[in-house]
């Protein structure tokens, strides 16, 4: 593993060394390191590219790292990862993709992830995306989450720069007494474009979803945020889309809430605009220049 | 010493397109290393004056001098680095920035809990409960006001501008707050306030009323404040 590999792994998966527990590291379309354990099994798919990750029932306080790195140009890497989370299990899953593309051709990674959560299981899922190097870096993650009674899923996605184009698609189906929390942070600059869409079906009684999206669009970049929350039972849905716009950037937020049951409580909030003038003034009154103040506000906002 | 020479400030009303004079022809020198309290009715221009001094806004005409140097054209951050420190009437909220973040920026160092305690305890807050709190809408108005003061103390300086620092602060801690200002002895401190207790601690008072103003010692100005009706303390012509 060279320094670029290490740097990418550190950024997308907080990996400074070989992780403890189960892991699978994928580089340029191939698995380059794996540890499958008794508690969390990792099995290569037979019919297509990808792996099955099987978390046995009742497994607690364990983690799985499945980072992907790409360090070449002109590559399209499509991978299907399926996660089976056993009853009562409680695990942390760290995914993420780092692309360093030194060429002028596009590199692309489409991670198609499906999570099957059995009863009362709990998952914290962290996904970071990063791009470096001259060439195009394209990421199209698809995440599907199926939640059985009493399960909880917390998802944190972070795309903090360098990704030329991304189309993120997240779908979830929630049964009774479930909780889904999605926190998303996206920064785009230059001519980048990021599209993100959420489709959540609250099918079960007492199912909850909260989506918190914070985005910063700079220069000529463009971001689109689509959400579609449907409530079919007594359920709670809250979507919060906050955006800071700078330069000539654009942010579009398209909410859809679809209540099919009078007991469904669904809310969408969107606040998009430039950095509040008084925030800049406050920081400048502490001695920061305009630019330093702007950077600090953005850093805090995306932290 | 801080001096204003023929300072005017006018705004154009966005709806009527008419010019509105907020401060008219102000010439005065703030006594060096003394506590001056600015008082006057709501809307008389007190906050405007404070913001002009800090460089948050610029005068329509006139000049501002500090230690003999014309600072009228100096930006807000430049004045901050000269030693001007402001606590705003309405503190700003930030999504994602913590009390520690702001204390760090203000003091230009990374504050440990013990450092933060030094500033926060002066405003009656317990550092460990607040240092990692986000400066967002979960803080109460009074908490935010106190934190604003703590941040200004962390910054330090030679010239302090406090805009209604006591507003929203409960009476129980009021005395401590007054002590805090007295503790800035040897600095030029300018406080906007309506509070009698703060007026009583002042060395000098500046009364602003309509198009008029008067700066004097506490003895000179306090009696004027008792004059009714409220808008004619300086005997102005305006009805
Ligand atoms: N940008 C502006 N546009 C319109 N009017 C303004 C503007 N800035 C200040 N004013 C007006 O100038 C006057 C003085 O405002 P300022 O905030 O300085 O009052 P103040 O004395 O601090 O009042 P308070 O005691 O309520 O804090 C007010 O009538 C206010 O409406
Ligand atoms: Mg005011």
């Amino acid at each position: 593993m060279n320094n670029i590999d290490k740097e990418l792994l550190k950024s997308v998966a907080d990996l400074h060394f070989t992780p403890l527990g189960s892991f699978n590291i994928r580089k340029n379309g191939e698995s380059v390191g794996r540890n499958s354990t008794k508690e969390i099994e990792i099995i290569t798919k037979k019919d297509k590219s990808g792996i099955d990750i099987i978390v046995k029932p009742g497994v607690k306080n364990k983690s799985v790292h499945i980072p992907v790195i790409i360090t070449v140009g002109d590559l399209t890497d499509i991978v299907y990862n399926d996660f089976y989370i056993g009853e009562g299990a409680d695990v942390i899953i760290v995914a993420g993709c780092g692309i360093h593309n030194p060429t002028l051709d596009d590199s692309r990674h489409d991670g198609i992830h499906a999570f099957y959560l059995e009863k009362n299981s709990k998952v914290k899922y962290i996904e970071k995306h990063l791009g470096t190097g001259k060439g195009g870096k394209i990421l199209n993650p698809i995440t599907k989450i199926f939640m059985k009674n009493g399960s909880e899923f917390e998802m944190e996605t972070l795309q903090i720069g360098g990704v030329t184009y991304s189309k993120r698609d997240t779908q979830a189906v929630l049964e009774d007494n479930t909780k889904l929390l999605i926190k998303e942070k996206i920064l785009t600059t230059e001519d980048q474009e990021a599209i993100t869409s959420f489709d959540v079906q609250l099918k079960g009684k007492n199912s909850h979803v909260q989506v918190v999206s914070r985005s910063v669009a700079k220069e000529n970049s463009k971001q689109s945020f689509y959400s579609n929350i449907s409530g079919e039972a007594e359920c709670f849905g809250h979507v919060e889309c906050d955006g800071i716009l700078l330069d000539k950037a654009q942010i579009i937020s398209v909410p859809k809430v679809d209540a099919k049951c009078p007991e469904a409580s669904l809310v969408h909030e969107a606040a998009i605009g430039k950095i509040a003038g008084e925030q800049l003034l406050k920081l400048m009154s502490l001695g920061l220049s305009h630019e330093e103040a702007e950077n600090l506000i953005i850093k805090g906002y995306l932290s | 010493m801080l001096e204003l020479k023929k300072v005017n400030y006018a705004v154009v009303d966005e709806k009527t397109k008419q010019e509105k004079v907020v401060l008219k022809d102000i010439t005065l020198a703030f006594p060096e290393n003394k506590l001056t309290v600015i008082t006057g009715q709501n809307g008389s221009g007190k906050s405007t004056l404070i913001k002009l001094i800090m460089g948050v806004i610029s005068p329509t005409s006139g000049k501002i001098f500090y230690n003999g140097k014309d600072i009228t054209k100096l930006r807000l951050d430049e004045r901050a680095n000269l030693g001007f420190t402001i606590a705003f009437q309405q503190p700003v909220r930030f999504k994602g920035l913590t009390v520690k973040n702001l204390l760090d920026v203000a003091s230009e160092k990374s504050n440990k809990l013990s450092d933060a305690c030094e500033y926060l305890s002066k405003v009656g807050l317990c550092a460990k409960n607040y240092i990692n709190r986000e400066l967002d809408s979960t803080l109460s108005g009074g908490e935010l006001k106190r934190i604003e003061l703590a941040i200004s103390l962390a910054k330090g300086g030679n010239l302090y501008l406090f805009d209604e620092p006591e507003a929203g602060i409960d009476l129980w801690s009021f005395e401590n707050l007054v002590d805090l200002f007295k503790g800035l002895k040897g600095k030029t401190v300018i406080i906007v306030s309506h509070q009698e207790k703060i007026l009583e601690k002042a060395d000098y008072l500046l009364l602003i009323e309509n198009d008029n103003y008067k700066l004097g010692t506490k003895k000179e100005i306090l009696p004027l404040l008792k004059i009714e009706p409220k808008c004619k303390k300086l005997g102005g012509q305006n009805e």
Side-chain angles (χ1 to χ4, degrees):
Chain A
M1 211 169 275
N2 61 33
N3 282 337
I4 290 177
D5 295 357
K6 282 183 191 155
E7 204 50 47
L8 287 175
L9 284 174
K10 203 171 93 183
S11 309
V12 298
D14 284 325
L15 288 182
H16 305 266
F17 42 79
T18 309
L20 296 171
S22 311
F23 67 87
N24 184 75
I25 300 172
R26 185 179 175 92
K27 180 182 171 184
N28 299 332
E30 278 165 41
S31 177
V32 294
R34 174 175 305 176
N35 185 34
S36 171
T37 62
K38 214 187 277 172
E39 290 165 312
I40 303 175
E41 252 186 284
I42 300 180
I43 304 164
T44 305
K45 276 192 187 298
K46 302 235 163 50
D47 53 336
K48 52 192 170 189
S49 165
I51 47 179
D52 286 333
I53 296 100
I54 301 158
V55 179
K56 301 287 159 65
V59 170
K60 283 199 170 32
N61 302 320
K62 296 285 173 199
S63 62
V64 194
H65 287 81
I66 50 153
V68 171
I69 56 175
I70 294 177
T71 56
V72 293
D74 196 17
L75 177 84
T76 296
D77 181 27
I78 301 177
V79 61
Y80 296 83
N81 295 337
D82 291 326
F83 300 79
Y84 299 92
I85 315 296
E87 193 171 330
D90 183 350
V91 290
I92 296 177
I93 299 169
V94 183
C97 177
I99 302 182
H100 174 75
N101 182 355
T103 71
L104 294 173
D105 298 312
D106 289 349
S107 282
R108 169 171 158 188
H109 174 74
D110 295 1
I112 297 146
H113 292 179
F115 294 87
Y116 301 92
L117 278 80
E118 290 301 326
K119 275 188 198 160
N120 302 321
S121 62
K122 239 173 124 173
V123 171
K124 177 161 182 168
Y125 177 58
I126 301 165
E127 193 185 83
K128 290 189 193 172
H129 287 129
L130 181 80
T132 57
K134 279 197 288 276
K137 287 137 306 221
I138 300 171
L139 291 161
N140 298 319
I142 297 177
T143 309
K144 296 177 184 175
I145 309 156
F146 301 95
M147 301 175 67
K148 290 251 170 78
N149 197 338
S151 61
E152 291 178 26
F153 193 90
E154 186 182 335
M155 173 168 168
E156 257 183 55
T157 64
L158 200 64
Q159 180 176 318
I160 31 159
V163 177
T164 326
Y165 177 91
S166 69
K167 186 170 187 303
R168 181 184 304 278
D169 202 344
T170 306
Q171 303 158 15
V173 180
L174 281 72
E175 294 182 11
D176 292 354
N177 307 310
T178 46
K179 252 191 199 148
L180 173 62
L181 171 62
I182 299 171
K183 291 189 210 159
E184 174 186 76
K185 280 161 190 168
I186 301 180
L187 168 69
T188 51
T189 57
E190 298 171 354
D191 291 311
Q192 296 165 4
E193 179 167 8
I195 302 168
T196 177
S197 75
F198 296 94
D199 196 316
V200 180
Q201 293 175 40
L202 298 163
K203 280 203 162 58
K205 199 175 165 192
N206 197 28
S207 54
H208 293 243
V209 62
Q210 193 184 355
V211 178
V212 182
S213 164
R214 282 194 189 170
S215 52
V216 176
K218 284 189 183 179
E219 295 159 9
N220 267 319
S221 66
K222 184 176 167 185
Q223 294 190 25
S224 312
F225 175 94
Y226 300 92
S227 78
N228 181 9
I229 312 285
S230 74
E232 299 168 21
E234 185 184 339
C235 60
F236 307 87
H238 193 135
V239 180
E240 206 182 305
C241 172
D242 276 336
I244 291 182
L245 268 182
L246 293 116
D247 314 311
K248 289 185 176 151
Q250 185 186 7
I251 298 179
I252 302 168
S253 173
V254 185
K256 182 176 166 192
V257 287
D258 180 4
K260 292 174 182 153
C261 165
E263 256 75 52
S265 153
L266 307 175
V267 179
H268 180 102
E269 288 175 275
I272 293 162
K274 58 179 188 207
I275 293 179
E278 67 244 28
Q279 291 185 341
L280 287 171
L281 290 175
K282 179 67 221 174
L283 295 180
M284 288 174 73
S285 83
L286 299 176
L288 296 189
S289 69
H290 189 279
E291 197 187 343
E292 288 167 335
E294 205 171 87
N295 288 339
L296 180 64
I297 291 166
I298 291 172
K299 194 174 143 213
Y301 190 75
L302 293 174
S303 69
Chain B
M1 190 160 67
L2 178 71
E3 291 170 277
L4 280 70
K5 289 194 180 153
K6 294 195 176 237
V7 167
N8 287 283
Y9 184 73
V11 288
V12 177
D13 190 302
E14 277 179 19
K15 284 199 189 102
T16 62
K17 300 282 172 229
Q18 286 200 333
E19 187 170 272
K20 179 183 169 195
V21 177
V22 179
L23 290 172
K24 195 174 160 189
D25 203 15
I26 299 204
T27 298
L28 53 81
F30 285 90
E32 181 95 329
N33 302 337
K34 297 285 186 217
L35 172 57
T36 304
V37 174
I38 306 177
T39 195
Q41 281 193 284
N42 293 133
S44 56
K46 305 178 297 298
S47 296
T48 303
L49 182 60
I50 291 285
K51 289 180 191 164
L52 283 169
I53 295 170
M54 189 67 208
V56 178
I57 50 177
S58 304
T60 318
S61 65
K63 286 190 182 308
I64 302 173
F65 293 85
Y66 184 59
N67 293 339
K69 187 179 156 221
D70 184 353
I71 60 160
T72 318
K73 294 225 151 62
L74 283 193
R75 287 192 319 261
L76 169 61
D77 50 326
E78 292 171 319
R79 291 189 211 189
N81 292 325
L82 262 190
F84 286 36
T85 297
I86 189 168
F88 286 98
Q89 182 172 5
Q90 260 134 13
V92 190
R93 296 175 196 268
F94 293 87
K95 273 189 182 166
L97 290 182
T98 61
V99 174
K100 179 177 154 54
N101 290 148
L102 274 270
L103 288 175
D104 287 357
V105 170
S107 61
E108 295 181 86
K109 63 171 189 201
S110 177
N111 287 283
K112 291 196 278 297
L113 189 65
S114 53
D115 304 316
C117 188
E118 188 192 321
Y119 311 123
L120 289 167
S121 66
K122 281 199 185 137
V123 297
L125 296 177
C126 179
K128 74 171 177 5
N129 295 341
Y130 287 94
I131 184 161
N132 291 320
R133 286 280 298 269
E134 254 178 62
L135 280 159
D136 61 8
S137 52
T138 61
L139 286 168
S140 78
E143 287 171 330
L144 204 62
K145 205 64 191 163
R146 288 168 191 241
I147 291 165
E148 176 81 0
L149 283 175
I151 292 167
S152 66
L153 295 178
K155 179 181 174 294
N158 307 314
L159 182 112
Y160 288 85
L161 304 160
F162 297 118
D163 198 345
E164 302 200 23
E166 81 287 357
I169 300 225
D170 52 80
L171 275 177
W172 186 78
S173 33
F174 200 79
E175 283 301 324
N176 299 326
L177 197 71
V178 173
D179 289 345
L180 188 157
F181 303 130
K182 289 309 263 183
L184 291 171
K185 264 209 161 12
K187 310 276 182 187
T188 304
V189 180
I190 301 171
I191 303 177
V192 174
S193 181
H194 303 283
Q195 274 290 334
E196 222 174 320
K197 274 194 184 155
I198 291 185
L199 299 187
E200 280 165 9
K201 301 283 177 191
D203 300 310
Y204 291 83
L205 290 175
L206 170 61
L207 172 62
I208 308 186
E209 181 184 284
N210 301 321
D211 288 345
N212 217 335
Y213 64 93
K214 190 172 171 77
L215 173 68
T217 60
K218 185 168 49 181
K219 266 211 188 98
E220 291 169 317
I221 305 292
L222 267 185
L224 297 177
L225 298 179
K226 309 235 153 65
I227 297 173
E228 295 287 344
K230 281 201 160 82
C231 57
K232 283 196 178 170
K233 298 189 205 320
L234 294 175
Q237 252 77 88
N238 300 24
E239 61 286 345

